[in-house]
């Protein structure tokens, strides 16, 4: 299980290998459920899912991220996110 984020200009690219499902999404908010439990809400502008493979849990998105909120889970998830 791995989460990585990189900033390129004003856009952030997030890659996660532990996503269980995409709960909902639009260009301002993406809600995910994680394989290890818990949910994540990513907010921003111009958010776009560029890849999701449910079988492997691999998820990729781009956009101007304003906030990331862990709705449940643990702080180990937060620590891994900002690796």
């Amino acid at each position: 299980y791995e989460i990585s984020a990189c900033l390129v200009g004003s856009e952030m690219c997030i890659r996660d290998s532990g996503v269980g499902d995409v709960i909902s999404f639009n260009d301002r908010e993406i809600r995910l459920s994680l394989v290890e439990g818990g949910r994540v809400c990513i907010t921003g502008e111009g958010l776009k899912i560029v890849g999701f493979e449910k079988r492997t849990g691999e998820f990729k998105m781009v956009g101007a991220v304003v906030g990331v909120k862990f709705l449940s889970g643990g702080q180990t998830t937060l620590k891994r996110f900002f690796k």
Side-chain angles (χ1 to χ4, degrees):
Y1 178 78
E2 178 183 321
I3 300 173
S4 60
C6 64
L7 185 61
V8 180
S10 64
E11 291 215 338
M12 181 173 275
C13 174
I14 295 177
R15 181 179 176 159
D16 186 346
S17 64
V19 173
D21 204 2
V22 176
I23 298 168
S24 65
F25 66 94
N26 59 46
D27 64 335
R28 285 182 256 146
E29 180 179 273
I30 299 175
R31 290 182 177 257
L32 308 170
S33 66
L34 303 176
V35 172
E36 292 184 354
R39 294 176 294 142
V40 176
C41 179
I42 302 166
T43 56
E45 294 183 18
L47 302 181
K48 182 178 177 182
I49 297 171
V50 294
F52 176 56
E53 177 60 50
K54 188 168 184 163
R55 185 179 54 80
T56 62
E58 187 165 321
F59 169 85
K60 297 177 190 174
M61 58 129 320
V62 295
V65 175
V66 174
V68 178
K69 184 174 182 181
F70 290 85
L71 305 172
S72 56
Q75 79 171 304
T76 56
T77 304
L78 181 61
K79 286 181 182 177
R80 278 188 252 176
F81 190 79
F82 292 103
K83 196 173 181 178

